[in-house]
Amino acid sequence: MITTLLNYLANSSAITLIVLALLSVYIIITFWIYLYRNAALRTLLNNEKKSLESLTSANTVFSPLSALNKCSSNSTSRELLHACEINIIKDASVGISWLAIIASTSPFIGLFGTVVGILESFAKFANESKVSFSVIAPAISEALVATAAGILVAIFAYTFHQLLSRKVYELSIYLKAQSEILIATKG
């Protein structure tokens, strides 16, 4: 397996290597954004869930861990609470758009690498009078590795984007519910 990979890389063109390097950077960025944002969102969600549970209990106490509490300075102004909600959601969704960008561009980057690889394969066979399928097939299959890599990166980026977007949506629901309770109880 490793020898096959090293042989592939040794026989690849500069464009193919650049495409694979770029896709490698994309996959690293994808996992980094997911791991970092997932941990941050998990903490935010837990704090806001506990705060909402505290507000809906008989105590009606605003949790000090709530980001909404920290932002609003215990004000029950509808406008201030709404502005705090927007700011918290904006901060919570930082980096998520990069996952969408990576998910949409990585298949095209992989396709570009494949097209260049196929063109180079045909250029190698241009001087030969007869070329069989058994000679062309391995060259084309090597070129298709770039497309497969691009699709693999896109799958992870798209999946992580959807997971994080769902968590941001849940956070938004918790914040809106808390705001409505605060306005109703103080207003």
Side-chain angles (χ1 to χ4, degrees), residues 27-48:
I27 195 82
I28 291 167
I29 291 170
T30 297
F31 275 94
W32 182 81
I33 289 171
Y34 176 72
L35 294 173
Y36 176 72
R37 295 311 312 160
N38 189 43
L41 282 169
R42 189 178 325 122
T43 302
L44 266 173
L45 277 169
N46 286 335
N47 290 343
E48 298 309 323

Side-chain angles (χ1 to χ4, degrees), residues 72-91:
S72 67
S73 304
N74 292 324
S75 172
T76 57
S77 161
R78 180 178 295 277
E79 293 78 17
L80 181 61
L81 287 171
H82 183 66
C84 286
E85 288 173 29
I86 291 170
N87 191 44
I88 293 166
I89 295 300
K90 178 187 68 71
D91 291 344

Side-chain angles (χ1 to χ4, degrees), residues 33-73:
I33 289 171
Y34 176 72
L35 294 173
Y36 176 72
R37 295 311 312 160
N38 189 43
L41 282 169
R42 189 178 325 122
T43 302
L44 266 173
L45 277 169
N46 286 335
N47 290 343
E48 298 309 323
K49 184 177 180 182
K50 288 176 186 174
S51 180
L52 182 60
E53 289 170 355
S54 176
L55 280 173
T56 56
S57 69
N59 303 359
T60 322
V61 178
F62 206 15
S63 171
L65 295 176
S66 171
L68 191 60
N69 183 22
K70 293 174 188 172
C71 176
S72 67
S73 304

Side-chain angles (χ1 to χ4, degrees), residues 95-144:
I96 295 177
S97 61
W98 280 104
L99 293 175
I101 291 168
I102 290 171
S104 63
T105 59
S106 60
F108 294 110
I109 292 169
L111 184 61
F112 174 73
T114 296
V115 169
V116 169
I118 289 172
L119 289 174
E120 288 176 347
S121 297
F122 285 149
K124 287 179 190 176
F125 304 131
N127 295 334
E128 296 181 25
S129 61
K130 288 191 175 188
V131 180
S132 68
F133 185 71
S134 62
V135 175
I136 293 175
I140 291 179
S141 67
E142 286 179 13
L144 289 171

Side-chain angles (χ1 to χ4, degrees), residues 148-166:
I151 292 170
L152 180 70
V153 171
I155 289 169
F156 282 109
Y158 181 77
T159 302
F160 293 162
H161 177 267
Q162 292 299 315
L163 291 171
L164 293 178
S165 293
R166 176 63 190 177

